[in-house]
Amino acid sequence: MTVSAARMRVGFIGLGIMGRPMAGHLVNAGYAVTVHNRSRAAVEALVAGGASDGGSPAGVVRVADVIILMLPDTPDVEQVLFGPQGVTEATRPGQIVVDMSTISPVATRDIAARLAEEGVAMLDAPVSGGQKGAAEATLSIMVGGEQAVFDACFPLFQVMGKNIVRIGEIGAGQVCKACNQVVVAITIQAVAEALTLANKLGVDSAKVRQALLGGFAQSRILDLHGQRMLDGNFQPGFRVNLHHKDLNIALTSGGAAGVPLPATAIVQQLFGALRGRGDGDLDHSALAKLLSALSGLD
Ligand code: NAP
């Protein structure tokens, strides 16, 4: 790597629920950060806090050594990298693209190969920990890519997260994230089923959650998402649409490898039903809302 961590200029593209606070931490840590987003409000807020406005993905790349992406899905990442005014219109050999979005591991390997032709290195570095982890800089970051590139970017990851693990070569971070999303989806559904059952049987579901938190069924999801379910607060958080996308990635990967994922497939169907009801922009804990409706509780 030609760029030392201390002098790294950072580009950040995709300033939504996750990207905006993550970019903010980098600004607050003293990095020169240039940002871009499709809608303007988050750009203006970060510029007010000390970031620069790149104006477009290519504009970001012209003044950055490392370009971080935090976009919704595979087509968004491909468009920002290779579309009009995209990243690759302005890349220089020696730059690094760090994709922290959750996208397909197969597409990630293809993208990395295309960037390598331009002399640009890539890491896939999806995260877990949600909105709270992004706000508190406690994200778990699962990274795929060359060790030397990982080492160069490690100081940036430390600003945004706590548990930073290089899983393996390019794409390995996205495989890890797919595994994470399987566990999270099935656990949310389990919590939704438990609390809905208690509710329907006339038992105080808040007391059930409280008791379960001290026993073998305790989990962060029972704690945080269980509370959301009790409050009926389904503002995201993590959108149903995004988790539906992530389970598609897991099911496609499992299908290609001959690994059946039956529980994942069921929760995928339930996320699909929420989308069909127009609830795709709710938090993924809205699985409980769907179950309540199916149980005649609404
Ligand atoms: P989000 O709130 O929808 O943010 C995505 C951002 O990307 C939006 O600000 C959007 O702009 C911007 N964007 C989309 N297409 C663009 C383009 N072509 N050019 C420039 N900007 C573009 O999503 P998020 O919740 O932050 O999630 C981002 C990624 O992190 C996803 O892959 C998700 O799966 C993953 N993730 C999310 C969470 C979570 O809890 N939210 C947790 C872990 C991982 P607009 O403002 O115009 O829409």
Side-chain angles (χ1 to χ4, degrees):
M1 284 303 101
T2 53
V3 183
S4 78
R7 291 190 297 110
M8 265 183 177
R9 296 167 302 165
V10 182
F12 207 114
I13 303 173
L15 306 170
I17 289 173
M18 300 295 284
R20 180 171 165 172
M22 291 163 70
H25 295 313
L26 291 165
V27 173
N28 293 339
Y31 285 98
V33 181
T34 303
V35 298
H36 172 67
N37 192 60
R38 188 172 52 195
S39 60
R40 292 288 308 162
V43 173
E44 282 157 17
L46 281 158
V47 167
S52 303
D53 180 1
S56 68
V60 167
V61 174
R62 288 191 186 97
V63 291
D65 304 304
V66 176
I67 302 101
I68 299 175
L69 310 181
M70 197 49 169
L71 297 159
D73 199 356
T74 306
D76 306 303
V77 171
E78 289 173 338
Q79 196 211 334
V80 162
L81 288 175
F82 305 115
Q85 288 289 299
V87 165
T88 49
E89 286 195 3
T91 44
R92 304 176 299 280
Q95 286 178 308
I96 302 171
V97 168
V98 180
D99 183 20
M100 302 189 78
S101 330
T102 304
I103 70 164
S104 151
V106 175
T108 293
R109 292 185 193 112
D110 289 346
I111 289 167
R114 288 177 72 179
L115 290 174
E117 288 170 12
E118 312 289 329
V120 174
M122 178 173 171
L123 298 175
D124 53 310
V127 305
S128 178
Q131 184 179 22
K132 192 166 186 285
E136 296 175 356
T138 55
L139 291 168
S140 183
I141 307 177
M142 30 205 122
V143 187
E146 286 177 20
Q147 184 72 49
V149 185
F150 173 77
D151 292 344
C153 294
F154 192 73
L156 301 178
F157 292 142
Q158 282 181 305
V159 173
M160 298 180 280
K162 282 264 179 290
N163 183 31
I164 302 149
V165 182
R166 179 178 174 267
I167 309 294
E169 298 306 324
I170 191 78
Q174 296 295 357
V175 171
C176 182
K177 176 67 185 184
C179 298
N180 181 82
Q181 293 305 80
V182 164
V183 174
V184 171
I186 294 169
T187 309
I188 293 177
Q189 178 62 16
V191 170
E193 291 187 14
L195 297 185
T196 306
L197 179 65
N199 208 359
K200 185 78 183 189
L201 296 180
V203 169
D204 184 344
S205 47
K207 291 265 171 57
V208 170
R209 170 181 165 277
Q210 187 187 344
L212 266 53
L213 278 174
F216 205 45
Q218 72 89 17
S219 69
R220 199 157 167 205
I221 286 170
L222 176 64
D223 184 3
L224 299 179
H225 295 74
Q227 188 61 51
R228 281 173 173 272
M229 292 172 195
L230 294 176
D231 295 341
N233 172 16
F234 301 118
Q235 290 313 302
F238 187 63
R239 295 177 217 281
V240 165
N241 283 334
L242 289 176
H243 212 149
H244 186 261
K245 173 247 326 178
D246 292 352
L247 295 191
N248 266 338
I249 292 170
L251 290 167
T252 304
S253 303
V259 180
L261 303 171
T264 304
I266 289 170
V267 185
Q268 168 75 343
Q269 292 284 312
L270 297 172
F271 280 137
L274 278 167
R275 283 159 57 92
R277 287 162 49 103
D279 285 340
D281 282 325
L282 294 184
D283 187 71
H284 51 173
S285 54
L287 283 169
K289 183 176 186 250
L290 179 66
L291 203 56
S292 282
L294 293 172
S295 310
L297 282 167
D298 275 358

